[in-house]
Amino acid sequence: MAHRLYGRKKNVKKGFQFTLMVVGASGTGRTTFVNTLCDSNVLAKKACHNPEEAHNEEGITIKPISVELDEDGVRISLTIVDTPGFGDNIDNERCFDAIVAYLEQQYDDILAEESRIKRNPRFYDNRVHALLYFISPTGHALREIDIELMRRLSPRVNVIPVIGRADSFTPQELHDFKRRIMEDIEHYNIPIYNFPYDVEEDDEDTIEENSELRALLPFAIIGSDEEIVVNQRTVRGRQYPWGAVEVDNPQHSDFARLRSALLSSHLQDLKEITHDFLYENYRTEKLSRTVHGGDADNAALNAEDMASQSVRLKEEQLRKEEEKLREIELKVQREIQQKRAELLSKEEALRNLEARLAQAQLSDA
């Protein structure tokens, strides 16, 4: 199911840990989006004070930054993984390699920790649960760099495409640009995170919400570091000669829906897909290479380690299934008790009615 409420309820009290990577070339609104999302200046804007150095290619830098957020009373430990320098070079091959290496390193750390006989209680899971890819607002279609990045990264992370600086389009231009992007994603068979749902298992609210979010892809984002006054209200937005654009206004931007999905309604789903599918696929590939001698650097993960790890994973899966079964059993028991109480109440009412009828008949006699 797209929403797993049981796991969410367990974590509400202690809060959530979530890691979000943001990737996009300079000028796509990546930095402003993060600062708007966190409602603070988390990322500094790129500045070049020496014109003679403006042409220099610095290469990509991967920078994790941690912030604490409160989302409707729930504490979220959010790690933003920024990637300044992506897409700014003539040859961006090293950018692709650097991001893939970072994603896989987090999986390797988990794999090594799971293989320990004694776990580290202070170990911190840094796996990236979602990646927002900022598509340049060209108004045409996906570029080769867009296609290549999403194709390479989608096996390792939940990729969600967004259009930065969406206020540079008219509504019709934006609609057409979104359509062309989704046509390209389908044509090149890029498996992005498309807010999955199961019509047979999920409830109507989940299906409706996920359908609406899927229809918004790619999300049109407008960010702002400034506050403006609109109709006597102070809001985040941008002021133009022709009017104002509000960040949280769904008629102007998809920002509010995306923020809610990332930090609330789909947070747990993104984490579970990361662990149950993306990480498991990587783990299988990694251990297969180790068994066949293709990964000499990690030969420490021998057959005995893999066997014990497999047992632990199966035990963990069994434990989760048992917890779900217990929840179902308790629910059924509660329903049976409720029905029994209703039945006893009706039987008592029937006996009272029969008693009154009998007494009435005696009185008439």
Side-chain angles (χ1 to χ4, degrees):
M1 293 177 63
H3 294 276
R4 294 165 174 82
L5 296 179
Y6 174 66
R8 179 170 172 77
K9 288 178 180 177
K10 282 175 56 180
N11 290 291
V12 165
K13 290 185 178 180
K14 65 178 182 180
F16 294 95
Q17 181 268 326
F18 190 73
T19 302
L20 175 68
M21 177 178 275
V22 289
V23 180
S26 299
T28 55
R30 188 189 73 252
T31 299
T32 304
F33 169 82
V34 171
N35 292 339
T36 307
L37 179 74
C38 301
D39 199 22
S40 61
N41 291 323
V42 175
L43 301 181
K45 292 185 179 293
K46 181 180 179 180
C48 183
H49 301 292
N50 187 350
E52 296 180 357
E53 298 178 356
H55 67 283
N56 293 341
E57 295 185 353
E58 299 178 0
I60 189 173
T61 305
I62 298 181
K63 300 166 57 178
I65 300 171
S66 297
V67 294
E68 295 290 326
L69 301 180
D70 184 282
E71 188 72 9
D72 296 329
V74 178
R75 184 177 62 84
I76 298 177
S77 297
L78 178 65
T79 300
I80 300 289
V81 183
D82 191 23
T83 55
F86 173 83
D88 297 341
N89 304 321
I90 296 175
D91 182 3
N92 288 285
E93 186 68 26
R94 292 183 179 179
C95 294
F96 297 143
D97 294 341
I99 296 173
V100 171
Y102 181 87
L103 295 171
E104 293 185 348
Q105 182 59 55
Q106 313 317 310
Y107 288 157
D108 287 338
D109 291 345
I110 289 288
L111 185 56
E113 181 63 21
E114 288 179 344
S115 303
R116 294 176 182 271
I117 296 176
K118 186 177 181 181
R119 301 289 183 89
N120 178 5
R122 296 185 178 181
F123 178 81
Y124 196 82
D125 182 358
N126 288 309
R127 287 175 294 184
V128 178
H129 303 116
L131 182 149
L132 296 186
Y133 179 59
F134 286 75
I135 299 168
S136 295
T138 62
H140 303 299
L142 290 179
R143 301 170 301 162
E144 183 178 350
I145 188 175
D146 304 326
I147 297 167
E148 187 66 19
L149 177 121
M150 289 192 284
R151 289 177 71 172
R152 286 205 196 185
L153 300 189
S154 56
R156 297 289 181 254
V157 67
N158 293 298
V159 175
I160 302 176
V162 301
I163 301 171
R165 298 173 58 192
D167 50 340
S168 59
F169 298 101
T170 66
Q172 186 60 49
E173 288 172 342
L174 182 60
H175 176 271
D176 293 341
F177 189 35
K178 280 191 171 192
R179 176 179 52 78
R180 284 192 290 269
I181 288 172
M182 294 309 295
E183 287 175 352
D184 283 348
I185 287 174
E186 182 177 357
H187 174 75
Y188 291 103
N189 196 27
I190 302 172
I192 62 171
Y193 180 77
N194 66 345
F195 301 91
Y197 58 85
D198 190 320
V199 292
E200 295 182 355
E201 292 189 16
D202 290 326
D203 56 63
E204 292 182 2
D205 291 339
T206 298
I207 295 172
E208 181 180 0
E209 179 189 1
N210 286 19
S211 298
E212 291 176 357
L213 289 168
R214 183 180 293 185
L216 292 175
L217 286 168
F219 290 92
I221 300 302
I222 298 171
S224 176
D225 295 327
E226 301 176 355
E227 291 185 337
I228 60 175
V229 177
V230 178
N231 296 329
Q232 300 181 339
R233 295 180 298 112
T234 301
V235 297
R236 274 188 178 267
R238 295 179 181 273
Q239 188 70 53
Y240 294 101
W242 46 263
V245 175
E246 299 177 49
V247 169
D248 289 328
N249 189 329
Q251 295 181 342
H252 299 166
S253 168
D254 300 329
F255 174 85
R257 293 298 302 271
L258 177 59
R259 187 184 197 280
S260 176
L262 290 174
L263 302 183
S264 181
S265 62
H266 286 74
L267 181 149
Q268 192 67 13
D269 190 53
L270 288 162
K271 295 187 68 170
E272 290 185 1
I273 290 177
T274 299
H275 179 76
D276 296 341
F277 296 99
L278 300 174
Y279 168 67
E280 281 300 311
N281 289 340
Y282 177 78
R283 185 185 71 87
T284 301
E285 294 172 14
K286 187 81 171 181
L287 297 181
S288 296
R289 290 198 301 269
T290 303
V291 168
H292 293 92
D295 197 352
D297 294 337
N298 294 281
L301 289 171
N302 55 33
E304 184 179 347
D305 292 329
M306 290 187 291
S308 61
Q309 180 177 321
S310 178
V311 170
R312 286 196 298 271
L313 287 171
K314 289 179 180 178
E315 289 176 347
E316 179 67 15
Q317 290 173 350
L318 286 172
R319 185 186 64 78
K320 290 182 178 179
E321 290 299 324
E322 288 173 355
E323 289 178 350
K324 291 180 181 178
L325 287 173
R326 280 197 294 271
E327 283 290 306
I328 294 172
E329 184 179 356
L330 289 172
K331 181 180 179 181
V332 171
Q333 288 177 354
R334 286 194 296 268
E335 291 177 351
I336 290 174
Q337 291 174 355
Q338 183 179 356
K339 294 294 184 183
R340 184 176 296 164
E342 292 175 357
L343 181 59
L344 290 173
S345 177
K346 290 179 180 178
E347 288 177 350
E348 180 66 22
L350 182 58
R351 284 195 295 270
N352 291 337
L353 180 60
E354 290 174 345
R356 288 199 297 271
L357 286 172
Q359 186 169 356
Q361 289 173 354
L362 289 174
S363 300
D364 292 342

